[in-house]
């Protein structure tokens, strides 16, 4: 069995203490505003095209799972005669 110990001179270190007044709401909002200016926002057309693509994929996925559900239900009804 291997025993692992820390040397005596290296005791547990505490987290560094913050210097300054702490949290400042006005500084926080200023930083948020600065970050928002750096964001590359999508164009209106890009947003519409992406939304359309998402809606189309959701529709295709719904149709796929509906068909799969119907096929499985048909198989269960055929094999066991249950399920309405």
């Amino acid at each position: 069995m291997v025993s692992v110990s820390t040397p005596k001179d290296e005791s547990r270190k505490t987290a560094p203490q913050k210097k300054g007044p702490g949290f400042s709401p006005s500084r926080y909002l200023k930083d948020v505003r600065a970050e928002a200016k750096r964001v590359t926002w999508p164009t209106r057309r890009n947003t519409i095209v992406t939304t359309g693509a998402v809606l189309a994929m959701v529709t295709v996925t719904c149709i796929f799972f509906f068909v799969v559900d119907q096929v499985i239900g048909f198989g269960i009804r055929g094999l066991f005669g249950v399920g309405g």
Side-chain angles (χ1 to χ4, degrees):
M1 182 183 292
V2 177
S3 175
V4 179
S5 62
T6 59
K8 302 261 186 226
D9 59 337
E10 287 190 34
S11 61
R12 288 189 171 177
K13 296 179 181 178
T14 59
Q17 298 295 325
K18 289 185 177 182
K19 295 178 181 171
F23 179 74
S24 168
S26 62
R27 179 71 183 161
Y28 174 75
L29 291 175
K30 183 178 177 183
D31 289 344
V32 167
R33 236 179 262 123
E35 282 295 321
K37 287 180 183 178
R38 291 187 212 143
V39 173
T40 304
W41 297 100
T43 63
R44 183 177 189 86
R45 177 166 167 70
N46 193 353
T47 303
I48 291 171
V49 167
T50 305
T51 302
V54 168
L55 292 175
M57 290 306 298
V58 166
T59 303
V60 168
T61 304
C62 286
I63 292 169
F64 171 76
F65 282 114
F66 176 76
V67 170
V68 168
D69 183 55
Q70 293 301 310
V71 168
I72 291 173
F74 178 74
I76 295 295
R77 282 190 301 275
L79 285 173
F80 302 111
V82 295

